[in-house]
Every structure is written in C-alpha cells, then in structure tokens.
Amino acid sequence: MAKASTGRGNKFSKLKYEERIRDEINLALRREFADPRLINVSITHVELTQDYSHAKVYWDTFNASTRGDAKEAIESTAGRMRKLLSTKMEVRHTPEIHYVYNSQFEDSNKIDKLLKDSADEAE
C-alpha cells in the first residue's frame, strides 16, 4: 500500500483543488441554477478531507434576512453540483459536498456597526 505524501507539494495541490472547487461552484451558482434564492449566495471557501472524498463548502449571503431561504436553496443543489463538478474538473472522484453557513459578511457588518457606534460616542 502506498503511503500518502505529506510534503509541501501535496498541500499546495490540495489548496489549488479547494480553490478550484470554490470557483467552479460560484460560477455554477450564477450560470446553472435559476433559483432566485441563490442570487446573493457566495462560496467563501472550501475544505477537503485528507482523502478528498468530502468537501465542506462554506457559503454566506449578502442579505442576512434571506439566509433561511438561501440555505434551503443551496442545500438542494448538492447532488447536481457534484455532477457538474465532475464534468467541469475532469477528475476521477468528485468529493461529496456538505454546505456549511459562514457568517463572515454578517460578522463584518456587525463589526462595522460597532466601530461606527463607538466613533459616534467618542465625538
């Protein structure tokens, strides 16, 4: 049985593969799915398991009030998205997709508001 490489080259290719998955999913959300609930959804990053069989796909929405609808819509794309990835990326095995909400835009807005409120109080 061959031992998996843990050298620098392996990490680099894994990072590139994760970035490519992120880019392909973002592109597919815009071009392949007509669901209007996906308009404000953005894939922020992807984490692959060591064996590349599963991908945690982190997503966020620019409109927090539509998060519930967006979650339902994006989760419904998992099967078709995996199939699209397999044809676009031309790889032998396409990872199973698991969507995970990432509140980075929401957190950023909260921080901005706190900073603004703090600056207003200082005046």
Side-chain angles (χ1 to χ4, degrees):
M1 186 181 337
K3 185 177 176 185
S5 170
T6 56
R8 188 166 136 147
N10 190 34
K11 284 190 178 250
F12 180 74
S13 62
K14 182 179 178 192
L15 178 63
K16 288 290 188 188
Y17 192 41
E18 289 169 338
E19 289 173 353
R20 176 112 190 267
I21 290 171
R22 182 199 64 214
D23 295 344
E24 290 293 342
I25 292 176
N26 271 321
L27 195 61
L29 287 174
R30 306 293 171 266
R31 294 183 178 174
E32 304 291 334
F33 296 90
D35 193 328
R37 299 174 297 174
L38 296 171
I39 289 172
N40 291 320
V41 170
S42 179
I43 304 305
T44 57
H45 71 280
V46 173
E47 290 177 4
L48 286 165
T49 56
Q50 286 303 110
D51 64 357
Y52 293 37
S53 63
H54 295 269
K56 281 187 182 175
V57 177
Y58 293 87
W59 65 275
D60 200 355
T61 180
F62 300 109
N63 185 351
S65 66
T66 63
R67 183 179 347 146
D69 289 340
K71 181 180 190 295
E72 186 179 303
I74 197 160
E75 288 178 352
S76 73
T77 70
R80 184 167 167 223
M81 188 65 76
R82 185 176 185 198
K83 186 173 182 177
L84 285 168
L85 285 176
S86 71
T87 59
K88 296 274 186 192
M89 298 185 66
E90 299 174 349
V91 293
R92 182 177 290 176
H93 300 287
T94 307
E96 195 171 320
I97 297 171
H98 306 279
Y99 290 110
V100 179
Y101 178 68
N102 177 0
S103 62
Q104 89 177 30
F105 297 120
E106 194 174 321
D107 294 344
S108 176
N109 288 339
K110 285 179 186 176
I111 291 169
D112 288 344
K113 184 181 180 331
L114 287 172
L115 290 172
K116 183 181 181 304
D117 290 350
S118 176
D120 289 347
E121 287 177 11
E123 290 179 354

